[in-house]
């Protein structure tokens, strides 16, 4: 099978893959149980509730203001004066509905693990040696990880097939590149794509050795080329990294705009792909042996395992 790339127009389409108004809204029946987290600065709120009798998590996030709709926004909105003092005045601008959208993510049915993931909690930094990974972390994630069904659906074209921006179908070095579900594709400032590898035997950074260098270099060069061509963003404007620990244990790489302070891009969680490649070139067992630090939430079962093992 040959590599394929969706045409730029499709990739830049302003709507998501469905692109139509949803007739059966899963949020109209949503009964709020509690607010898991909210942030006035990020203008988002994470809510736990029920849709019929199923647990659900709904994430509401105000969309950034788009440069390409600015003139329309200023021309067609109503302004309500709040205060005026000398040269200063503030207003409430009432924008037309299509310029005032709220990105909405629904997870339903949500497991207890989903609810905990979004609950605001104290976090602790764990330092995991290679041995800790094999004796503490691996047994835990083998039994407790989030399902990667959504990943398999993407690889098998059972979901999000029309959102795929690029695919290299090679079973060993190939991958699928598509918009992350945190990106609404409406503006480049918060560009966020993920590359999901076709191989199913690599859980995370920990499994990587020099054997995987052809996969990693292929992913970096084709991922960066595609993003440059499709979105006009050069490699020097991209942050390309792995999460450790990831939530989903099927190897994937995050491609985000350097200008976007994406959740999880801090030093305690993100490992630049270029660093990973160089570390593996220098030492094939680098990620097998070295200690890796990562944050865990207070009620994460893995934190308990580290405590039980006397590692904290
Ligand atoms: N295209 O179905 C999907 C899908 N799912 C289920 C997850 N992702 C998906 N992408 C597509 N379709 O970037 C994406 C996620 C994430 C990546 C998995 O796959 O958006 P990871 O394994 O390293 O998991 O990456 P991780 O680190 O938990 O990522 P995630 O979910 O981004 O969480 C990190 C923090 O981001 C959260 O704690 C929260 O603070 C924040 N966050 C998560 N979701 C949202 C959201 N919708 N809006 C705002 N903030 C969010």
């Amino acid at each position: 099978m040959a590599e394929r790339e969706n045409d730029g127009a499709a990739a830049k389409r302003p709507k998501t893959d469905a692109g139509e108004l949803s007739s059966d809204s899963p949020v109209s029946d949503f009964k709020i149980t509690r607010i898991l987290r909210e942030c006035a600065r990020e203008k988002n709120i994470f809510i736990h509730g029920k849709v019929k009798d199923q647990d659900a998590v709904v994430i509401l996030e105000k969309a950034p203001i788009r440069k390409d709709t600015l003139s329309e926004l200023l021309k067609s909105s109503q302004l309500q004066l709040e205060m005026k003092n000398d040269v200063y005045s503030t207003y409430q601008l009432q924008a037309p509905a299509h310029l005032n959208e709220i990105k909405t993510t629904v997870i339903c049915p949500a497991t207890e693990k989903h609810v905990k993931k979004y609950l605001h909690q104290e976090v602790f930094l764990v330092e995991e040696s290679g041995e800790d990974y094999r004796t503490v972390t691996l047994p835990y994630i083998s039994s407790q990880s989030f399902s990667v069904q959504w990943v398999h659906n993407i690889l098998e074209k059972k979901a999000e097939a029309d959102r795929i921006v690029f695919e290299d179908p090679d079973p060993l070095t190939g991958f699928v590149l598509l918009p992350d579900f945190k990106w609404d594709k409406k503006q480049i400032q918060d560009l966020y794509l993920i590359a999901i590898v076709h191989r199913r035997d690599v859980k995370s950074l920990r499994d990587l050795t020099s054997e995987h260098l052809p996969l990693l270099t292929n992913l970096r060069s084709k991922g960066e080329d595609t993003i440059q061509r499709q979105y006009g963003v050069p490699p020097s404007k991209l942050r390309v990294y792995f999460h450790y620990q990831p939530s989903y244990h099927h190897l994937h790489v995050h491609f985000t705009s350097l200008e976007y302070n994406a959740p999880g891009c801090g030093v305690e969680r993100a490992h630049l792909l270029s660093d990973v490649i160089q570390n593996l070139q220098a030492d094939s067992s680098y990620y097998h042996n070295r200690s890796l630090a990562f944050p865990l939430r207070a009620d994460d079962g893995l934190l308990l395992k580290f405590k039980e093992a006397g590692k904290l």
Side-chain angles (χ1 to χ4, degrees):
M1 224 201 316
E3 288 174 2
R4 79 187 171 90
E5 194 171 322
N6 272 351
D7 65 287
K12 286 177 192 162
R13 256 199 320 257
K15 293 278 180 185
T16 56
D17 55 347
E20 287 161 13
L21 289 178
S22 176
S23 50
D24 58 337
S25 159
V27 290
S28 57
D29 276 342
F30 186 70
K31 303 265 181 311
I32 298 172
T33 312
R34 64 178 164 156
I35 305 302
L36 298 171
R37 184 196 319 178
E38 61 188 308
C39 178
R41 191 173 53 84
E42 290 170 10
K43 299 185 181 58
N44 60 22
I45 188 161
F46 297 69
I47 318 158
H48 175 206
K50 296 250 182 207
V51 176
K52 301 197 174 83
D53 54 353
Q54 289 187 315
D55 276 289
V57 171
V58 171
I59 304 169
L60 302 177
E61 188 180 9
K62 290 233 179 176
I65 296 166
R66 287 162 52 193
K67 277 187 271 186
D68 61 335
T69 56
L70 265 186
S71 318
E72 188 189 354
L73 180 71
L74 296 173
K75 232 179 259 161
S76 60
S77 303
Q78 301 224 341
L79 272 192
Q80 209 179 327
L81 180 69
E82 279 187 332
M83 73 88 178
K84 187 162 175 49
N85 182 351
D86 189 34
V87 295
Y88 307 99
S89 49
T90 66
Y91 300 85
Q92 280 300 326
L93 182 149
Q94 277 146 14
H98 70 284
L99 298 179
N100 198 15
E101 289 171 329
I102 295 180
K103 181 173 190 295
T104 303
T105 306
V106 179
I107 303 170
C108 182
T111 61
E112 201 189 331
K113 207 167 153 63
H114 284 120
V115 175
K116 281 185 182 167
K117 169 173 169 159
Y118 295 111
L119 183 66
H120 181 72
Q121 284 181 55
E122 204 177 348
V123 287
F124 297 88
L125 200 71
V126 169
E127 194 153 317
E128 177 202 70
S129 65
E131 192 53 24
D132 295 338
Y133 173 71
R134 288 176 280 282
T135 57
V136 182
T137 308
L138 185 56
Y140 180 80
I141 60 176
S142 302
S143 63
Q144 297 288 324
S145 262
F146 280 116
S147 161
V148 289
Q149 187 57 51
W150 66 273
V151 173
H152 295 166
N153 289 346
I154 290 172
L155 295 175
E156 292 162 18
K157 318 290 167 355
K158 291 180 181 160
E160 303 189 57
D162 56 350
R163 283 163 47 86
I164 293 174
V165 177
F166 175 84
E167 175 169 20
D168 175 343
D170 188 283
L172 286 181
T173 59
F175 65 96
V176 161
L177 181 73
L178 79 167
D180 191 279
F181 83 163
K182 289 202 289 296
W183 186 38
D184 64 9
K185 301 193 289 175
K186 291 195 173 151
Q187 56 285 309
I188 293 297
Q189 294 98 299
D190 59 347
L191 173 138
Y192 198 145
L193 291 103
I194 39 167
I196 301 174
V197 305
H198 276 298
R199 288 182 71 145
R200 298 190 180 193
D201 59 344
V202 190
K203 287 190 179 53
S204 74
L205 196 59
R206 270 285 182 213
D207 289 339
L208 293 174
T209 64
S210 57
E211 182 225 330
H212 302 100
L213 282 168
L215 165 66
L216 302 181
T217 50
N218 184 48
L219 197 152
R220 178 173 62 176
S221 67
K222 290 183 183 156
E224 287 179 348
D225 280 0
T226 305
I227 292 175
Q228 166 115 49
R229 259 198 317 280
Q230 298 267 10
Y231 303 101
V233 179
S236 58
K237 292 282 200 178
L238 287 178
R239 186 188 293 110
V240 185
Y241 56 97
F242 297 94
H243 275 160
Y244 193 75
Q245 285 285 334
S247 293
Y248 304 97
H249 288 88
H250 174 118
L251 193 74
H252 57 275
V253 176
H254 303 249
F255 285 76
T256 66
S257 163
L258 196 56
E259 285 170 28
Y260 175 50
N261 196 11
C265 76
V267 291
E268 74 282 26
R269 188 104 195 272
H271 296 254
L272 287 179
L273 175 59
S274 53
D275 286 347
V276 172
I277 289 174
Q278 287 188 60
N279 291 334
L280 291 174
Q281 282 166 340
D283 174 5
S284 173
S285 317
Y286 188 90
Y287 290 101
H288 194 74
N289 295 332
R290 68 156 285 180
S291 288
L292 296 173
F294 54 86
L296 286 174
R297 295 182 178 84
D299 71 351
D300 194 311
L302 185 54
L303 188 73
L304 189 66
K305 295 284 174 204
F306 268 83
K307 283 183 180 158
E308 283 171 1
K311 304 286 177 184
L312 275 177

